[in-house]
Amino acid sequence: MSANNAFHIAVLAGDGIGPEVMAPAIEVLRKIEAKSGLSFRFTEAPAGANNYLATGKSMPDSTIKLCEEADAILLGACGLPSVRYPDNTEIAPQIELRFIFDLYAGVRPARLIPGVPSPIVGADQRGIDLVVIRESTEGLFASMGKGVVTHEDARETMVITRKTSERLFEFSFRLAERRKARGKPGMLTCVDKANVFKAFAFFRGIFDEIEKKHPNVKTDRLYVDACSAMLVKRPWDFDVMVMENMFGDIVSDITASLIGGLGMAPSADIGDKYAVFQPCHGTAPDIMGQGKANPTGMILSAAMMLDWLADKHGVESAAEAGEQIELAVDQIYAGGIKPMEFGGSNGTADITKAVLAAL
């Protein structure tokens, strides 16, 4: 574990373009290390579809032990569409880690960076800066691997518990309070389907209870369908949003598409003790090995990791380093960097070089 400003980071590069975007993130962290009082020890470990092909397991026990001992976990994209378990589901260590380490809060920021195109009219003037908090261990995903399929029907069971919901909402209110202290609106929206399902009425009821402990946070409640419609019209009206696992899976992809796509979107899965940081995008085997992968989401995930380490260990310089990375990314996009998914010519190497220079 960490001593002072030294941090041990487990690195699970994964499959497809996972290793290609992980390498730039490590380079950026090495640059941060050289210009700050922080130090990092990176330990790489296997995880993903290729490991499953080789061993029959998505992750060896040694990888799980490393993650348990490290201060934080950096995860590249994992899984390949062509590699599946016998039940035809994909290899997904990123989901398995959430259950193993009780990472109940999936944090999905969506911030429109200067110079990045958004499909939303007016977004370049109004800006987009919101966070989706996705419960990551329950909901419909609690049924993963447990569903019952017969010739006549298939059934999956959604699970929502009081314990996890209370922790999730406390986390969400605290994040809204921290954002308010930094000049953001500090508003928290509970997104559910409480008008149809008893489980979501239960979910909303717990939200109402936790709200009483945080009187300085403005709140709202929206059904997920109405929320989705509002997001693609006026995303600047949102600040922090909290929701069930499957809803969060879908809504966070919507919000990523508002800020340039999944290649721009970082994420974290956070529990009481452990945390995993990874980009929102997949393994993109169609562009693997071609130098086209956009490392921005992975680099910004590393910045999120620094902010979490700062909060967890009381190391303010780590938070400052995370802000420096975000500013460097803003600077290069405002300066004209244009990834290939935007129709530009800048690939992995160009973007990495530019961020390192901006730092």
Side-chain angles (χ1 to χ4, degrees), residues 181-232:
R182 295 176 181 178
K184 310 295 183 186
M187 183 178 77
L188 179 61
T189 302
C190 180
V191 179
D192 55 45
K193 197 64 178 171
N195 58 329
V196 176
F197 296 101
K198 292 180 180 179
F200 285 117
F202 175 73
F203 186 76
R204 183 181 287 202
I206 298 170
F207 179 85
D208 294 343
E209 293 172 16
I210 302 300
E211 177 191 25
K212 296 173 184 175
K213 302 178 183 179
H214 302 270
N216 294 327
V217 176
K218 184 179 178 182
T219 61
D220 196 5
R221 294 141 185 82
L222 284 174
Y223 301 135
V224 66
D225 45 349
C227 173
S228 300
M230 292 172 66
L231 273 171
V232 296

Side-chain angles (χ1 to χ4, degrees), residues 69-359:
E69 295 172 347
D71 291 301
I73 304 157
L74 273 182
L75 180 66
C78 288
L80 294 170
S82 60
V83 182
R84 294 178 179 262
Y85 287 119
D87 65 0
N88 205 38
T89 58
E90 288 191 28
I91 315 304
Q94 63 274 27
I95 299 176
E96 294 165 24
L97 287 168
R98 296 169 194 164
F99 292 109
I100 292 168
F101 294 112
D102 194 20
L103 309 178
Y104 56 85
V107 183
R108 309 288 188 264
R111 182 176 65 89
L112 185 60
I113 291 171
V116 173
S118 171
I120 306 302
V121 175
D124 51 343
Q125 286 87 34
R126 300 293 298 268
I128 300 172
D129 187 352
L130 56 86
V131 182
V132 172
I133 302 179
R134 164 191 177 183
E135 195 289 311
S136 293
T137 61
E138 297 183 345
L140 194 55
F141 278 76
S143 192
M144 191 177 74
K146 303 172 186 175
V148 177
V149 179
T150 70
H151 184 266
E152 300 300 330
D153 63 20
R155 297 170 186 264
E156 306 277 5
T157 302
M158 182 170 66
V159 177
I160 292 177
T161 69
R162 172 171 289 278
K163 177 184 176 181
T164 296
S165 298
E166 287 177 345
R167 291 187 298 168
L168 177 74
F169 293 140
E170 285 287 0
F171 180 96
S172 302
F173 274 102
R174 290 196 303 270
L175 178 60
E177 287 166 346
R178 289 200 301 275
R179 283 174 63 86
K180 187 175 182 179
R182 295 176 181 178
K184 310 295 183 186
M187 183 178 77
L188 179 61
T189 302
C190 180
V191 179
D192 55 45
K193 197 64 178 171
N195 58 329
V196 176
F197 296 101
K198 292 180 180 179
F200 285 117
F202 175 73
F203 186 76
R204 183 181 287 202
I206 298 170
F207 179 85
D208 294 343
E209 293 172 16
I210 302 300
E211 177 191 25
K212 296 173 184 175
K213 302 178 183 179
H214 302 270
N216 294 327
V217 176
K218 184 179 178 182
T219 61
D220 196 5
R221 294 141 185 82
L222 284 174
Y223 301 135
V224 66
D225 45 349
C227 173
S228 300
M230 292 172 66
L231 273 171
V232 296
K233 289 183 176 181
R234 298 179 59 85
W236 44 81
D237 286 346
F238 291 92
D239 187 23
V240 183
M241 309 155 66
V242 61
M243 61 200 72
E244 175 270 340
N245 206 336
M246 179 60 82
F247 287 168
D249 187 22
I250 298 166
V251 171
S252 62
D253 274 17
I254 293 174
T255 56
S257 71
L258 307 181
I259 60 162
L262 292 172
M264 301 297 298
S267 78
D269 290 309
I270 299 174
D272 292 335
K273 186 176 180 182
Y274 302 97
V276 173
F277 301 86
Q278 66 175 114
C280 286
H281 62 71
T283 54
D286 56 322
I287 62 168
M288 180 176 61
Q290 300 173 38
K292 296 179 179 179
N294 182 356
T296 304
M298 186 77 245
I299 290 170
L300 291 174
S301 296
M304 288 183 70
M305 179 187 74
L306 292 175
D307 188 65
W308 180 78
L309 287 169
D311 185 58
K312 185 172 178 60
H313 297 284
V315 181
E316 185 58 33
S317 58
E320 293 169 358
E323 290 176 3
Q324 289 170 10
I325 293 173
E326 291 184 355
L327 289 171
V329 169
D330 285 5
Q331 182 179 326
I332 69 164
Y333 278 94
I337 280 285
K338 193 173 184 180
M340 294 183 181
E341 66 260 38
F342 300 162
S345 60
N346 298 124
T348 314
D350 288 344
I351 296 168
T352 305
K353 183 179 178 180
V355 172
L356 291 171
L359 283 170

Side-chain angles (χ1 to χ4, degrees), residues 18-40:
E20 297 174 39
V21 298
M22 181 64 78
I26 300 299
E27 282 190 73
V28 167
L29 289 169
R30 288 296 189 201
K31 183 68 176 283
I32 287 292
E33 185 178 45
K35 66 194 294 283
S36 71
L38 303 172
S39 67
F40 303 104

Side-chain angles (χ1 to χ4, degrees), residues 34-89:
K35 66 194 294 283
S36 71
L38 303 172
S39 67
F40 303 104
R41 177 164 62 94
F42 300 104
T43 304
E44 297 185 11
N50 286 315
N51 193 75
Y52 177 78
L53 285 176
T55 69
K57 295 180 70 175
S58 66
M59 292 178 286
D61 292 341
S62 58
T63 293
I64 296 171
K65 188 173 189 298
L66 168 67
C67 292
E68 185 176 6
E69 295 172 347
D71 291 301
I73 304 157
L74 273 182
L75 180 66
C78 288
L80 294 170
S82 60
V83 182
R84 294 178 179 262
Y85 287 119
D87 65 0
N88 205 38
T89 58

